[in-house]
Amino acid sequence: MDFPRYRPRRLRRNEKIRAMVRQTSLAPKNLIYPLFVGPGKNKAQPVSSMPGVAQLSVDRAVEESQEAASLGIPAVILFGLPEHKDALGSEAYDDGAVVQQAIRAIKEKLPELLVITDVCLCEYTDHGHCGVIKNGDVDNDSTLELLVKESLSHARAGADIIAPSDMMDGRVGAIRKALDENGFAQTAIMAYAAKYASGFYGPFREAAESTPQFGDRRSYQMDPANSDEALREVEMDIREGADMVMVKPAMAYLDIVYRVKQKFGYPVAAYNVSGEYSMIKAAGQNGWIDEERIMMEVLFAIRRAGADMILTYFAKDAARVLAKG
Ligand code: PBG
């Protein structure tokens, strides 16, 4: 169609007509709200690099979950802050530990809210890596056993969805097999399938107290320069039994979100990570950008690229904006 017969501006004349032709939708049901759960009672310790985010005791995590649910958010994802850390991250697979308590408490109060659990060891190990250290690197196959124990412990506590974020090879298959053999055939797996070794996780590591004590995560998380490899990672996870696949981070990786959705047509989650959140918050607090507007623009962009679900610290803020209409 050529000008002047076709005038694209006709469909932009007012909000009614723009809304009628708007292609991408964003609703609270697309959002997943991350929570950091630690020991204690009635505690909410603010995370300085993530304004609006706090480390919560179990009772406060239940309150936050209730608020999220009342805003129409269907799911929370839980990260645990153990009482003590050791080389094998034993609190990760302790049925009495804080995440397991939080799962039970949330499911008891809000049975309809979906509880997703991040399965990884970095929050629980004293060295801060995502697995068992052998010869100065994370050993893949012995880590799998611990991830399986952690997943089963979360499932026993009542988690609806297990989300392994460690990036070990073969972990989705190992977890699926163990869940099936232990009566958890209905527990779903959301695999952090294409997870990059990213600087955007910086503020999270303050929140989860999970900074590696030596080296970095490049021997298990993906090289930001690669994209075909992301498709192989996703394909493996799907073949091993992932029900949903995740791309992480989101904003700088929308090409990956797009390709994964196009190629596999599976439910795709994108993680709008801590650094992406903090940049927008900081610039907003400085008055350099309109925080609310940019938050919505970014979330729409992630949906436009093909994400069905977005894990985001903005979940409650965005749901409030959506409720205003
Ligand atoms: C655990 C994990 C991380 C994040 C989610 N799960 C940190 C990491 O891999 O270092 C990051 C989330 C965020 O930055 O918001 N492995």
Side-chain angles (χ1 to χ4, degrees):
M1 274 308 173
D2 297 320
F3 176 81
R5 253 174 13 109
Y6 188 62
R7 288 179 181 268
R9 288 185 58 192
R10 271 184 214 126
L11 300 184
R12 299 178 198 140
R13 284 179 55 232
N14 58 50
E15 180 49 25
K16 275 273 179 307
I17 202 160
R18 287 193 294 270
M20 197 164 67
V21 299
R22 187 165 293 136
Q23 238 188 304
T24 307
S25 66
L26 176 69
K29 69 167 184 191
N30 304 122
L31 305 173
I32 298 170
Y33 188 42
L35 297 175
F36 299 99
V37 191
K41 242 189 130 11
N42 195 24
K43 282 213 174 105
Q45 175 68 37
V47 178
S48 64
S49 56
M50 299 178 74
V53 174
Q55 299 174 332
L56 305 167
S57 52
V58 171
D59 52 331
R60 296 290 288 265
V62 173
E63 278 174 29
E64 275 290 304
S65 302
Q66 192 151 28
E67 203 182 333
S70 71
L71 288 163
I73 295 163
V76 292
I77 180 165
L78 305 182
F79 296 91
L81 304 153
E83 310 229 23
H84 83 277
K85 302 180 187 233
D86 58 33
L88 297 178
S90 14
E91 270 191 48
Y93 35 90
D94 176 343
D95 284 347
V98 76
V99 161
Q100 286 84 347
Q101 290 173 33
I103 302 167
R104 287 189 293 266
I106 294 169
K107 289 307 288 186
E108 193 182 323
K109 188 85 188 258
L110 305 157
E112 314 256 279
L113 184 72
L114 295 169
V115 173
I116 307 174
T117 57
D118 183 85
V119 165
C120 196
L121 293 170
C122 63
E123 298 114 272
Y124 304 94
T125 52
D126 49 15
H127 45 72
H129 276 288
C130 304
V132 180
I133 301 295
K134 275 190 193 161
N135 306 319
D137 194 9
V138 174
D139 182 67
N140 196 85
D141 298 10
S142 50
T143 299
L144 294 184
E145 291 169 35
L146 301 185
L147 296 169
V148 161
K149 283 169 70 173
E150 183 177 5
S151 302
L152 286 174
S153 177
H154 292 175
R156 273 194 296 275
D160 299 286
I161 302 172
I162 300 293
S165 72
D166 51 281
M167 286 302 277
M168 297 302 119
D169 297 333
R171 88 276 205 219
V172 172
I175 292 169
R176 183 71 271 159
K177 181 165 177 285
L179 289 172
D180 289 350
E181 287 172 357
N182 286 276
F184 299 110
Q186 296 304 324
T187 306
I189 296 179
M190 173 187 280
Y192 284 74
K195 175 172 175 179
Y196 286 87
S198 171
F200 285 101
Y201 308 150
F204 173 95
R205 291 180 186 171
E206 182 203 333
E209 300 168 5
S210 65
T211 308
Q213 298 304 303
F214 64 90
D216 55 40
R217 303 208 202 290
R218 286 175 226 257
S219 82
Y220 41 104
Q221 299 181 347
M222 283 180 53
D223 183 337
N226 293 350
S227 50
D228 294 339
E229 186 189 3
L231 302 184
R232 292 198 293 277
E233 282 278 6
V234 168
E235 184 168 9
M236 275 181 84
D237 285 0
I238 289 174
R239 294 176 78 118
E240 289 177 30
D243 301 287
M244 310 172 228
V245 289
M246 193 197 299
V247 174
K248 179 183 169 195
M251 277 165 65
Y253 297 82
L254 293 183
D255 57 323
I256 309 299
V257 173
Y258 180 80
R259 288 183 73 187
V260 167
K261 188 62 184 177
Q262 293 292 312
K263 175 149 183 177
F264 299 101
Y266 252 60
V268 172
Y271 201 142
N272 177 219
V273 299
S274 56
E276 304 173 55
Y277 173 84
S278 299
M279 288 193 309
I280 294 174
K281 281 279 172 192
Q285 288 183 348
N286 272 300
W288 296 338
I289 59 168
D290 177 340
E291 179 189 322
E292 180 178 306
R293 183 172 172 184
I294 292 210
M295 164 184 80
M296 296 308 280
E297 186 172 334
V298 164
L299 296 175
F300 265 98
I302 298 170
R303 288 275 296 146
R304 193 187 66 232
D308 301 286
M309 300 152 268
I310 307 171
L311 297 89
T312 180
Y313 306 97
F314 284 122
K316 284 197 312 181
D317 296 349
R320 281 198 197 98
V321 172
L322 291 167
K324 277 192 297 193

